[in-house]
């Protein structure tokens, strides 16, 4: 049964500017595992990746109904890629109760994400 659905649209340039203004931005949004991937990417792909993870985590917060804040943090959600490059939610605050499905898509200027939370019961 579907528990929640969240979508988000994020401007990649806005995320690039945030990272350039504060070099700590990526470290606040990305988990250590995600940050490891981020640091291996070239500039263009790096900002697409950061914007995608930022947006997907915002989508997760919307699907849960709490947003990002007291109950759910950027560090509490980890989104990695499988061997084929497909994103998946590796860990999240409600993983004992909910299955999280994620989709990330981008153009040259923006990223759109969707998260579906499914009840395990």
């Amino acid at each position: 049964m579907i528990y929640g659905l969240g979508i988000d649209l994020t401007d990649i340039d806005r995320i690039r500017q945030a990272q350039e203004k504060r070099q700590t931005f990526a470290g606040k949004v990305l988990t250590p595992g995600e940050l490891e991937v981020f640091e291996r990417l070239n500039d263009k792909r790096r900002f697409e990746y950061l914007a995608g993870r930022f947006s997907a985590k915002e989508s997760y917060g919307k699907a849960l109904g709490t947003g990002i804040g007291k109950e759910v943090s950027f560090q509490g959600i980890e989104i990695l890629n499988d061997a084929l490059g497909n994103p998946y939610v590796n860990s999240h605050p409600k993983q004992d109760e909910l299955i999280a499905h994620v989709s990330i898509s981008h153009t040259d200027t923006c990223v759109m994400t969707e998260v579906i939370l499914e009840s395990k019961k």
Side-chain angles (χ1 to χ4, degrees), residues 76-109:
I77 306 162
E78 182 172 64
I79 302 164
L80 301 175
N81 290 67
D82 66 18
L84 297 175
N86 299 311
Y88 68 94
V89 181
N90 186 53
S91 62
H92 62 94
K94 298 289 186 175
Q95 62 192 26
D96 292 339
E97 307 159 41
L98 302 170
I99 300 167
H101 305 277
V102 64
S103 180
I104 302 172
S105 185
H106 60 81
T107 67
D108 285 338
T109 60

Side-chain angles (χ1 to χ4, degrees), residues 3-4 32 43 49 61-62 72 77 80 87-89 106 111 113 119:
Y3 176 88
D43 282 344
Y49 180 87
K62 291 173 183 177
V72 177
I77 306 162
L80 301 175
Y88 68 94
V89 181
H106 60 81
V111 61
T113 59
S119 176

Side-chain angles (χ1 to χ4, degrees), residues 1-6 59-65 89 92 94 98-101 115-119:
M1 170 184 264
I2 300 295
Y3 176 88
L5 168 70
S59 289
Y60 179 93
K62 291 173 183 177
L64 193 58
V89 181
H92 62 94
K94 298 289 186 175
L98 302 170
I99 300 167
H101 305 277
V115 169
I116 298 171
L117 297 177
E118 176 185 1
S119 176

Side-chain angles (χ1 to χ4, degrees), residues 12 15-16 19-20 23 25-26 29-30 34-54 106 111:
I12 295 171
I15 298 300
R16 180 189 57 77
Q19 175 63 21
E20 289 174 351
Q23 294 297 309
F25 180 78
V29 172
L30 303 175
E34 294 166 331
L35 197 55
E36 190 176 303
V37 174
F38 171 79
E39 290 172 349
R40 290 192 311 251
L41 299 172
N42 68 37
D43 282 344
K44 181 179 187 298
R45 182 66 187 111
R46 178 177 286 194
F47 294 119
E48 291 170 349
Y49 180 87
L50 180 56
R53 285 346 189 235
F54 175 88
H106 60 81
V111 61

